[in-house]
């Protein structure tokens, strides 16, 4: 494959929901911090040309110390992020190589992304212009509407999907969409592109591609890592 993929890894989380004083991307998974696992998965993916890691300014020195301590020398470019995910991705876009045809945006705390998922999402983006991995919802869902009697009602869960990352887009489209002003419903990159007028194409996600949010997620990730997932 040609190396034509830039990767923006957004790593601005805290340890609040993890019940930890350590930012969750720096928690130890296996034998090294979570974020190192995430970077390595992309570094091993053949089309990857550059990796940009977006961190809060207050965490840059900690990250540098961790890289030194763990002898982590995979090439990547740290960038200071913004006040929210939208601004952080925009900061990463400013230094992306515009000559690369595609950009993948990924959560720093999804460290177990598989090569199969990366390849599937990448190929889907080549075919359709973008690719957003999604998985079926297994829990029963209810829609909250305070204006209706009871305030909630059951919905058909087969009509819903849970969205994951990496989300891969053509570079020119992503850069253009992020010139929009921020809006509160911009919770991921697909919502930004959709607002700009792009049709979003869903691809098959992976249930093992979990986002580390609470202590149970970390326990599950450690198990999956130990079993070679």
């Amino acid at each position: 494959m040609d190396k034509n993929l830039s990767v923006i890894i957004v790593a601005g989380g805290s340890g609040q929901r993890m019940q930890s004083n350590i930012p969750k991307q720096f928690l130890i998974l296996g034998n090294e911090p979570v974020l190192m696992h995430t970077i390595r998965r992309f570094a091993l993916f053949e089309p990857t040309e550059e990796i940009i890691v977006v961190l809060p300014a207050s965490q840059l020195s900690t990250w540098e110390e961790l890289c030194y301590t763990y002898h982590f020398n995979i090439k990547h470019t740290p960038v200071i992020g913004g006040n929210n995910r939208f601004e952080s991705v925009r900061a990463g876009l400013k230094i992306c190589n515009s000559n690369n045809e595609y950009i993948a945006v990924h959560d720093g705390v999804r460290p177990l992304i598989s090569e199969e998922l990366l390849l599937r999402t990448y190929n889907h983006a080549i075919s359709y212009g973008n690719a957003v991995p999604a998985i079926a919802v297994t829990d029963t869902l209810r829609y909250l509407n305070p204006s209706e009697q009871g305030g909630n009602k059951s919905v058909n869960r087969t009509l819903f999907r849970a969205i994951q990352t990496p989300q891969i887009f053509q570079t020119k489209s992503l850069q253009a969409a992020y010139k929009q002003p921020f809006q509160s419903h911009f919770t991921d990159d697909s919502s930004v592109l959709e607002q700009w007028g792009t049709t979003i194409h869903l691809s098959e996600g992976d249930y093992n591609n979990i986002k580390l949010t609470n202590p149970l997620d970390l326990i599950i990730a450690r198990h999956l890592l130990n079993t070679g997932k």
Side-chain angles (χ1 to χ4, degrees):
M1 293 183 185
D2 294 331
K3 289 184 177 293
N4 65 348
L5 180 70
S6 294
V7 178
I8 298 175
I9 298 176
V10 185
S14 66
Q16 184 175 0
R17 282 182 289 181
M18 275 289 183
Q19 301 172 21
S20 171
N21 293 325
I22 302 173
K24 53 190 177 182
Q25 59 269 21
F26 297 158
L27 292 172
I28 301 303
L29 176 63
N31 58 359
E32 63 184 4
V34 166
L35 184 54
M36 293 181 184
H37 288 275
T38 306
I39 294 172
R40 182 174 287 104
R41 300 271 173 144
F42 281 96
L44 294 173
F45 186 54
E46 182 60 31
T48 301
E49 173 69 21
E50 67 175 351
I51 299 174
I52 296 165
V53 178
V54 188
L55 289 159
S58 61
Q59 295 179 10
L60 276 180
S61 60
T62 301
W63 175 242
E64 291 174 356
E65 291 172 5
L66 287 170
C67 287
Y68 176 80
T69 300
Y70 287 88
H71 307 288
F72 187 76
N73 56 11
I74 293 177
K75 184 180 178 181
H76 66 281
T77 305
V79 177
I80 296 175
N83 294 324
N84 52 49
R85 192 183 192 280
F86 178 85
E87 292 181 3
S88 292
V89 174
R90 181 184 276 175
L93 284 171
K94 288 180 180 178
I95 68 165
C96 269
N97 183 353
S98 297
N99 292 323
N100 289 335
E101 191 173 356
Y102 296 95
I103 296 177
V105 185
H106 189 62
D107 300 322
V109 289
R110 288 188 191 268
L112 300 180
I113 179 171
S114 67
E115 183 179 1
E116 292 78 13
L117 176 57
L118 277 172
L119 184 60
R120 184 165 64 240
T121 310
Y122 177 75
N123 287 336
H124 198 91
I126 291 175
S127 298
Y128 298 99
N130 64 70
V132 175
I135 56 175
V137 178
T138 58
D139 291 329
T140 296
L141 300 178
R142 296 193 70 83
Y143 170 67
L144 302 182
N145 188 349
S147 65
E148 294 184 357
Q149 184 176 4
N152 65 88
K153 64 178 181 180
S154 179
V155 295
N156 183 355
R157 69 183 176 194
T158 64
L159 300 178
F160 294 85
R161 292 293 181 269
I163 299 303
Q164 300 181 326
T165 66
Q167 299 180 9
I168 303 179
F169 304 91
Q170 291 178 327
T171 298
K172 292 181 179 179
S173 296
L174 191 64
Q175 289 176 331
Y178 267 88
K179 291 179 181 178
Q180 300 177 98
F182 171 73
Q183 297 190 45
S184 59
H185 68 274
F186 288 167
T187 55
D188 71 346
D189 308 286
S190 66
S191 58
V192 179
L193 270 289
E194 190 170 50
Q195 179 69 34
W196 186 62
T198 299
T199 299
I200 300 301
H201 297 276
L202 300 182
S203 59
E204 182 185 353
D206 183 346
Y207 285 96
N208 287 342
N209 181 30
I210 62 174
K211 183 178 182 180
L212 306 187
T213 304
N214 56 58
L216 179 59
D217 295 329
L218 192 60
I219 294 172
I220 294 171
R222 285 169 176 158
H223 171 74
L224 292 174
L225 187 66
N226 289 334
T227 55
K229 301 298 183 180

